[in-house]
Amino acid sequence: MTATRKQETDGAPQPVTARRPGGRTARTRDRILEATLHLVARDGIAGLRYEEVAELAGVHRTSVYRNWPDREELVNAALLRYAGSVELEDTGDLRHDLVNYLVALADLLSTTTGRAMRRAIESARENPEAARPVNRIFELRLADLQQVVDHAVARGELPPVDAYFLAELLTGPVHLYVSRGLRPFTRAEAERITDVVLAGLRHTAG
């Protein structure tokens, strides 16, 4: 798995353009998903309107309904498509992989995708419908992290640890750095966070 970052344009949403091959249908679906992401970032899931998605994507409203008749599925598809642009490597060096992941995560959180995720998380606290796509993304990320952790445990790099607990320790500070915006999140910060967390887990392993 390789950490990647999708290039995005900040500021007011502009009519989106297709970037993927695959014919007219694929291009239409891509425009709809990108428009959905921009609108969720701006208004949250509760404020999402199919009419606005169609207008921003430059398609007819029936195209949105035909591809995603259920709003939850539309949001789920948009978040999964773009939130998956940050992945966790498994190179055999746990510290290296975690540091790279935190750096890539900080970059993602500063984009439209990151803002959409934050708005989706806010919506999920009060709306079970909104919680489902958010929980699905977290489940996928936790599964990846648990696999990397299990490999590290087998190599003797780390004592057994729950992936959810580790994820909260590692990513919580990243979210705070980005949301507060008081100072940039650098690789040095990612290294410090990773070192403190790993040292703490090893020290308290029994």
Side-chain angles (χ1 to χ4, degrees):
M1 294 182 289
T2 303
T4 60
R5 178 185 173 190
K6 180 179 176 62
Q7 295 294 325
E8 302 188 37
T9 301
D10 290 331
Q14 300 295 321
V16 292
T17 56
R19 296 185 181 88
R20 298 169 181 264
R24 182 177 178 180
T25 298
R27 291 193 296 270
T28 296
R29 289 171 64 89
D30 283 344
R31 289 199 298 270
I32 291 170
L33 292 178
E34 289 193 41
T36 299
L37 194 74
H38 277 287
L39 292 172
V40 171
R42 190 189 73 186
D43 303 324
I45 294 176
L48 185 68
R49 300 288 181 268
Y50 273 40
E51 293 81 359
E52 289 187 284
V53 172
E55 181 180 359
L56 185 58
V59 302
H60 195 276
R61 183 175 61 180
T62 56
S63 296
V64 184
Y65 281 106
R66 183 171 60 250
N67 284 281
W68 289 279
D70 181 80
R71 187 176 67 168
E72 177 189 325
E73 291 302 319
L74 172 59
V75 174
N76 185 62
L79 292 178
L80 284 173
R81 164 73 66 83
Y82 298 108
S85 60
V86 171
E87 298 179 1
L88 178 62
E89 295 177 310
D90 191 6
T91 67
D93 183 338
L94 180 64
R95 180 184 184 274
H96 168 84
D97 295 339
L98 292 178
V99 169
N100 281 350
Y101 177 75
L102 295 187
V103 171
L105 176 62
D107 287 344
L108 179 70
L109 290 175
S110 301
T111 65
T112 299
T113 298
R115 290 192 293 274
M117 286 297 300
R118 292 200 298 273
R119 294 301 299 269
I121 292 170
E122 292 169 2
S123 298
R125 292 171 182 163
E126 301 178 355
N127 185 349
E129 176 185 331
R132 281 187 282 269
V134 174
N135 290 341
R136 176 58 177 159
I137 291 171
F138 287 158
E139 288 169 2
L140 293 172
R141 287 183 175 177
L142 285 175
D144 287 343
L145 179 58
Q146 190 66 66
Q147 183 178 37
V148 172
V149 167
D150 289 343
H151 292 166
V153 171
R155 294 192 302 268
E157 284 190 79
L158 195 68
V161 61
D162 176 65
Y164 181 85
F165 180 66
L166 178 59
E168 291 295 293
L169 293 176
L170 288 168
T171 64
V174 182
H175 282 268
L176 287 175
Y177 263 88
V178 175
S179 63
R180 290 177 177 173
L182 299 178
R183 53 192 294 187
F185 187 87
T186 66
R187 187 173 187 85
E189 301 297 340
E191 290 173 344
R192 278 193 285 270
I193 292 168
T194 301
D195 288 341
V196 168
V197 170
L198 294 182
L201 291 173
R202 289 162 181 154
H203 179 72
T204 58

